[in-house]
Amino acid sequence: MDTRVLTIQDISCVGQCSLTVALPIISACGIETAILPGSVLSNHTAPGFSGWTFHDLTDEFYKILEQWKKEGIKFDAFYTGYVSTNQIQPILSIMQETAKENALKIIDPAMADNGKLYAGFSADFPKEMAKLCKGADFILPNLTEASFLLGIDYVGENYTREYIENVCKDLYKLGAKNVILTGVSFEKSKLGVAFYNGASFDYYFTPRLDLFLHGTGDIYSSAFIGALLNGKSAFKAASIAADFVCESIKQTIGDDKHWYGAKFEKALPYLIKRLESV
């Protein structure tokens, strides 16, 4: 039987992030991808754009849920990204009422980067996001998001392996079954992820490329889900996703006009080829 995943996050119409990343990447992996937009933005909110429009769609959540219940629509997996405070409880209800047996819950607590919360999030939002992380099969925070979830100071890149492993252990205590901490680096030339399943750690690193692009976290999470739902082990999926992000950045290097996101579309053949390999 085909697998159907529901992804819940915003649509930034321009900017190659959130749903405009998740839908094509997961679909390219051969997974039926249903969407629930939490809001519509003209473009993403990172520096570079002079401003943005925003329209909240939270009022539609319960209406959509009721219709899905009438139709008997169920999902094999859920993936959340950028959502707002008032959407946490509706999302929990949607997951509870439309989940097939043993449905996976993958949470990307997309709310912060480089030591700061994204524009529009209040200081109490991380506590609400922690409610979504509780009981998740996988959470995929970056180091900034991990710091906010745990209520600790962001240390930048000044950390040890012991620090990273303690952060993962504390994130696990929030109630997640597996932690994938992104943006981890112990060498200036490498960047990767720490994977913790509650018993042991694994790491995977790719070359650090000298180009920062918005939306790479969304690209990573989407590729991870696509690989995981294609039967790859969680760590293998985490590794493939890291390589895919790296390939997406390579496709963008040299194009100064494409500062707002990574050209992941041109890297999709690479991702599909990786999924076909053993």
Side-chain angles (χ1 to χ4, degrees):
M1 184 177 293
D2 291 338
T3 300
R4 177 192 285 160
V5 59
L6 171 64
T7 180
I8 308 171
Q9 48 190 310
D10 76 287
I11 294 179
S12 291
C13 299
V14 173
Q16 291 173 303
C17 62
S18 56
L19 278 179
T20 56
V21 164
L23 179 57
I25 290 177
I26 302 172
S27 296
C29 294
I31 305 299
E32 181 185 346
T33 311
I35 64 169
L36 179 56
S39 56
V40 179
L41 292 83
S42 56
N43 44 269
H44 63 60
T45 64
F49 291 114
S50 62
W52 60 87
T53 66
F54 175 88
H55 181 65
D56 188 274
L57 296 172
T58 309
D59 288 346
E60 299 298 315
F61 276 32
Y62 282 116
K63 299 175 188 176
I64 290 171
L65 172 58
E66 288 307 310
Q67 186 61 36
W68 283 346
K69 287 164 64 177
K70 289 179 182 178
E71 302 291 343
I73 293 172
K74 299 281 187 176
F75 301 100
D76 301 280
F78 300 92
Y79 158 39
T80 69
Y82 184 106
V83 298
S84 61
T85 302
N86 58 345
Q87 290 170 353
I88 301 296
Q89 189 54 53
I91 290 170
L92 290 171
S93 296
I94 289 167
M95 288 180 171
Q96 181 178 358
E97 298 192 49
T98 65
K100 290 184 180 179
E101 188 175 0
N102 299 319
L104 290 174
K105 298 177 182 177
I106 299 108
I107 308 299
D108 177 1
M111 60 181 172
D113 207 353
N114 297 315
K116 297 180 180 179
L117 285 171
Y118 293 148
F121 284 136
S122 62
D124 64 344
F125 180 72
K127 291 183 180 179
E128 294 301 310
M129 178 56 72
K131 296 177 182 177
L132 202 54
C133 292
K134 184 178 181 180
D137 292 279
F138 298 91
I139 60 171
L140 300 90
N142 61 36
L143 281 165
T144 298
E145 290 157 349
S147 299
F148 278 108
L149 284 170
L150 298 176
I152 60 177
D153 291 336
Y154 174 65
V155 297
E157 294 192 359
N158 183 29
Y159 53 75
T160 62
R161 185 179 294 259
E162 180 183 16
Y163 174 84
I164 290 297
E165 295 191 355
N166 284 335
V167 166
C168 289
K169 289 176 181 177
D170 288 341
L171 288 169
Y172 182 81
K173 292 175 184 176
L174 292 178
K177 298 173 185 176
N178 297 275
V179 175
I180 301 174
L181 185 62
T182 64
V184 174
S185 177
F186 302 120
E187 301 176 47
K188 288 185 177 180
S189 62
K190 295 181 180 180
L191 188 67
V193 298
F195 181 93
Y196 180 59
N197 61 8
S200 61
F201 288 91
D202 283 299
Y203 293 89
Y204 187 80
F205 297 97
T206 61
R208 185 194 290 266
L209 301 175
D210 189 23
L211 180 64
F212 173 80
L213 293 167
H214 304 293
T216 52
D218 299 330
I219 293 172
Y220 180 85
S221 297
S222 301
F224 168 76
I225 290 159
L228 185 71
L229 296 180
N230 267 278
K232 303 297 184 184
S233 70
F235 182 67
K236 183 68 172 178
S239 304
I240 289 172
D243 289 336
F244 177 61
V245 170
C246 196
E247 186 67 21
S248 298
I249 294 172
K250 288 179 182 178
Q251 293 289 342
T252 318
I253 291 174
D255 187 348
D256 293 338
K257 293 182 179 179
H258 205 92
W259 53 266
Y260 50 85
K263 294 182 178 181
F264 71 89
E265 299 93 342
K266 297 196 178 285
L268 285 172
Y270 169 85
L271 176 60
I272 294 168
K273 186 175 180 179
R274 288 293 303 275
L275 293 180
E276 291 172 348
S277 64
V278 177

